[in-house]
Amino acid sequence: MGNREDLLAGAKRCLMEKGYSGTTARDIAAASGTSLAAIGYHFRTTKALLQQALIDAMAEWGEELQRALSVDAGADATPEQRFEAAWTRVIESFARLRPLWAIQFELIAQMDRTPELRAAFATANEQARLGLAEIFHHLDPGADRTEALRLGSFYQALLGGLAAQWLVDPDRAPSARDLTRALRTVAAEFTT
């Protein structure tokens, strides 16, 4: 790896261990085995490096989630069973990546004071919506971007709300079965 990649890897480790506000340039330099000057050379600012590290970490989580969800619930599984299996895997990922989710909520609170962070999150949000539609519905975002954004927004709202509940109290957060039953109830109201 070169200094740039070392810095990103070190920044990701620091984010997971210390959070966004608790990570300093010195922490990143030490974790990456590089100099403080390397941060300025490759990223201009520590904030820019941390933002890129967070975006990369979220992309890695998306890839991990896609791999986990590609394990099918079975050829004869109903849509309800597939939904429940998928959300079981999502909830399992919260335990592995708790710091990543905590950082996102930490940063949401700072967005009004950091326009570049808001812009980075807005771009990442749109990509996440498209990716979620592809993951959960096997919908090609290029074929119907409007529908992909609509479906992805639904899953993103569900994901963010579930993550918030899980961060506060994982023992009493909804399970995949709870989500499935709730969705069944809501859907039944639309069909009556």
Side-chain angles (χ1 to χ4, degrees):
M1 287 199 298
N3 276 354
R4 187 175 201 292
E5 293 80 15
D6 292 337
L7 284 166
L8 281 167
K12 282 187 243 179
R13 278 194 306 278
C14 289
L15 282 170
M16 297 301 170
E17 293 169 10
K18 299 173 177 258
Y20 186 86
S21 344
T23 297
T24 67
R26 289 188 192 284
D27 294 331
I28 297 168
S32 64
T34 63
S35 68
L36 285 170
I39 295 172
Y41 178 78
H42 290 287
F43 293 93
R44 298 187 69 205
T45 67
T46 304
K47 278 185 179 182
L49 168 56
L50 286 172
Q51 288 171 12
Q52 187 60 56
L54 181 60
I55 288 167
D56 288 358
M58 287 303 300
E60 290 167 10
W61 173 80
E63 291 166 6
E64 176 187 326
L65 183 61
Q66 192 163 17
R67 281 190 303 274
L69 295 179
S70 69
V71 177
D72 199 1
D76 58 344
T78 66
E80 188 174 302
Q81 290 167 329
R82 285 194 298 276
F83 180 88
E84 188 170 324
W87 285 96
T88 296
R89 292 184 198 109
V90 168
I91 292 167
E92 289 167 354
S93 80
F94 291 161
R96 285 190 310 280
L97 297 170
R98 181 184 180 88
L100 182 60
W101 287 98
I103 291 164
Q104 288 182 74
F105 285 98
E106 174 188 352
L107 293 177
I108 288 169
Q110 298 179 25
M111 283 190 192
D112 285 340
R113 295 182 301 277
T114 316
E116 64 275 6
L117 184 61
R118 178 183 295 277
F121 261 70
T123 300
N125 263 345
E126 184 167 326
Q127 292 307 308
R129 289 178 187 133
L130 295 171
L132 288 167
E134 188 172 8
I135 289 170
F136 282 102
H137 280 280
H138 308 289
L139 182 65
D140 176 9
D144 190 347
R145 185 177 178 83
T146 302
E147 184 65 7
L149 287 170
R150 187 179 0 265
L151 282 168
S153 294
F154 170 78
Y155 284 107
Q156 189 176 41
L158 189 57
L159 183 62
L162 183 59
Q165 292 179 63
W166 195 91
L167 284 170
V168 171
D169 188 355
D171 294 331
R172 290 188 285 184
S175 68
R177 177 164 299 258
D178 295 332
L179 293 176
T180 304
R181 288 179 176 168
L183 185 59
R184 186 184 322 125
T185 300
V186 171
E189 290 179 9
F190 283 107
T191 59
T192 57

